[in-house]
Every structure is written in C-alpha cells, then in structure tokens.
Amino acid sequence: MLNIDLHCHSNVSDGTLSPAELARRAAANGVDVWALTDHDEVGGIAEARAAAQDLGMHFVAGVEISITFAGKTVHIVGLDIDEQHPDLHGGLASVREGRVQRGHLIATQLELTGLSNVFEGALKYAENPSLIGRTHFARYLVELGVQPTVSDVFRHYLVEGKPGFVPHRWTTLQEAVSWIRAAGGRAVIAHPGRYAFDQMQFDALLSEFIALGGEGIEVVTGSHTPDQFDAYAALARRTGLLASRGSDFHGPAESRVDLGSLPHLPADLKPVWHDWQL
Ligand code: AMP
Ligand code: MN
Ligand code: MN
Ligand code: MN
C-alpha cells in the first residue's frame, strides 16, 4: 500500500525545514506520494518538486489557504494545482498582504505586555518575510523566555482572549475554492475537527463548500485525534466527500506527527487520489 502524505509545511511558510530537506525526510520515512502545502504560498514548490523527483517520490503541488467563514479561520488545502496559475498567484499574494498587516498589529499588541522590537524579532524566524505568521511570533516569545515552548505560547498568547490575538479577515471560502479550481486543483477542507463551529455553522461550511465545487476533507491528519479519524471517516461516507491523509508536519522540534507516519485511511473511503496516475 502506498504511503501518501498530502499536508506539510516548509520554511517558505511556518515549517522549519527547507522544501528539499522536507523531501529527503519524507523519502527517508517511506513516503511514496508527497505534497507540499505551505500556508498561502507556492514559492517552495519548484524546489520541492525537483527534490522529490530526484528521490523517486511522486510529487503533488499543494497549498493551504487561510479563509474566514462565519467569523472563524478555516484552512482549505488545494492539491494537484498548477502553481503558476495567475488567479491562484494573485489571490495568494493578496492573502499574504493581509498577513503582513496583521503581523504589525500582533507586534503592537505584544509590545503592550512590555516586550520590544517584536515584529523584527518574529521576522528573524520567517525565511519568507511575506509569510509572517503566528508561529514566527511564538518562536520569538520562546527565544525571549516568555514561554518554554511554541505550544505553551499558543496556550497563553496569540489566541482569542489572550495577548497578541488580532482578529483577522482572511479571504472567503468562495475565492479560495475558485482559485484552486482555476488552477486545476482539488479543494479539501483541512483538519475539520479543529474548528470551534456549532453544528449549524459546520453544516453550512460543508454545504457551501460542496456547492462551490469543493471535493474533499482531511480524515487522517496530524491535527486529529484517533477518535476524530473515525468521526471524519463517517462524515466522508455520509457526504460522499473524498478523504485525504496528511501529517501537517512543521518540523522535528515542533510536530508530534512525522511525515508519512499516520495510520492509513479506512479502506472503504474514496481517497482524494483515487483518479491520479500513481
Ligand atoms: P497563522 O496562519 O499565522 O494564524 O498561524 C497558524 C499556525 O499556527 C498553524 O498553521 C500552526 O502552525 C500554528 N498553531 C496554531 N495553533 C497552534 C498550537 N496550539 N500549537 C502549535 N502551533 C499552533
Ligand atoms: Mn502552520
Ligand atoms: Mn492548518
Ligand atoms: Mn497545515
């Protein structure tokens, strides 16, 4: 059975490894089919593709787009995209502009707690300055000794109700799905178990996603518990959405789940790769 991992991050977004280092780690872990899905950015794809091909892995170009739905952030993964497509390219550039603006507001908020030069500090951790995100701020707060680890930072800072949280309006579900489809890709709801929606909002997300031409949901992901693997497998069966599998790996020091190390999808599900030439 092929080992397929369709979600991870390089240092072109908020991972810690370069695209080529990630490719080597995926291959060493036995991954056969691999996608790079950086947040709001496709700048790592060329390097990832070349490295994957050298290592004999089947490469899938991907992206994870930040959207706002019903007032909350949701992530939409696009798989098997033409990363050069102008609609996708332009759309992602506009999302990144919002990220930089939000970054300055996050820095200002954190400076109210007595820290200084926070934007510059976070920027040191962002290989790609246009992709500055909360993880880069979290790493800087760890450097300052404010919290011992990145995950501790995300318990006490940068999240709703805590210092450094800045509400942000990302792009819409409709735009993200349309960019992915324009680029020939398949849209997948990332880690559906992570969103704090009530049932009506979650049902609205699913029905709007399907109406817009969205095709898949992640079932087995590093962002789900084993119970959630079962719950979202059942949802895939009920809705007919295609199922995806991906570690959501961000780096050896910060990720619990390594590339290619999750359980396989339940055998009766229709996978998002069912019609790919593998
Ligand atoms: P952003 O897109 O800049 O708002 O940052 C979102 C990223 O923050 C996610 O993709 C994760 O990499 C990271 N993140 C969010 N929550 C947590 C958490 N509880 N622990 C560790 N990392 C987190
Ligand atoms: Mn991330
Ligand atoms: Mn995500
Ligand atoms: Mn991710």
Side-chain angles (χ1 to χ4, degrees):
M1 187 178 283
L2 292 176
N3 188 336
I4 301 184
D5 191 325
L6 301 179
H7 190 147
C8 69
H9 299 273
S10 76
N11 61 5
V12 167
S13 64
D14 61 356
T16 58
L17 303 182
S18 70
E21 287 169 333
L22 269 182
R24 285 194 286 275
R25 190 177 183 97
N29 287 0
V31 172
D32 302 292
V33 180
W34 175 58
L36 177 66
T37 57
D38 275 313
H39 296 286
D40 308 319
E41 172 67 280
V42 291
I45 301 248
E47 180 185 323
R49 178 186 285 122
Q53 283 168 357
D54 282 348
L55 293 157
M57 278 188 301
H58 181 103
F59 180 71
V60 177
V63 66
E64 180 175 23
I65 306 180
S66 314
I67 71 157
T68 300
F69 186 87
K72 293 196 162 66
T73 300
V74 170
H75 288 168
I76 304 294
V77 165
L79 294 175
D80 208 11
I81 50 170
D82 165 10
E83 76 275 14
Q84 319 253 18
H85 194 281
D87 290 11
L88 179 67
H89 231 255
L92 296 178
S94 70
V95 176
R96 290 194 298 273
E97 275 174 35
R99 256 185 192 282
V100 173
Q101 291 165 4
R102 182 192 65 155
H104 285 289
L105 297 172
I106 291 175
T108 305
Q109 285 284 317
L110 289 172
E111 284 169 5
L112 294 175
T113 72
L115 307 171
S116 47
N117 295 321
V118 174
F119 192 81
E120 295 69 22
L123 211 50
K124 291 191 297 177
Y125 293 90
E127 208 73 35
N128 172 5
S130 75
L131 217 285
I132 188 147
R134 285 185 293 160
T135 311
H136 305 115
F137 286 93
R139 290 180 188 141
Y140 183 55
L141 295 190
V142 172
E143 176 192 322
L144 292 177
V146 170
Q147 290 289 323
T149 69
V150 165
S151 64
D152 289 300
V153 174
F154 277 101
R155 271 190 285 279
H156 301 284
Y157 292 85
L158 303 173
V159 293
E160 214 166 329
K162 307 286 178 180
F165 176 72
V166 171
H168 186 69
R169 205 157 48 97
W170 301 104
T171 190
T172 61
L173 178 67
Q174 186 263 324
E175 296 233 85
V177 174
S178 79
W179 301 336
I180 291 166
R181 286 168 57 82
R186 190 161 262 172
V188 175
I189 298 177
H191 40 66
R194 275 233 318 247
Y195 310 120
F197 287 131
D198 64 32
Q199 192 61 49
M200 244 171 72
Q201 291 169 323
F202 187 71
D203 289 347
L205 172 67
L206 283 180
S207 60
E208 288 183 36
F209 177 72
I210 291 168
L212 291 165
E215 296 174 81
I217 52 166
E218 290 184 341
V219 170
V220 174
T221 139
S223 300
H224 280 171
T225 62
D227 281 353
Q228 289 175 321
F229 299 165
D230 296 338
Y232 291 96
L235 183 70
R237 289 182 193 104
R238 194 161 72 238
T239 56
L241 284 164
L242 303 173
S244 192
R245 171 181 188 261
S247 56
D248 208 354
F249 182 73
H250 282 70
E254 288 175 21
S255 288
R256 197 170 39 82
V257 175
D258 207 336
L259 288 158
S261 70
L262 287 168
H264 288 283
L265 287 180
D268 66 303
L269 296 184
K270 193 170 186 182
V272 71
W273 56 83
H274 71 95
D275 56 354
W276 295 354
Q277 305 292 315
L278 300 176

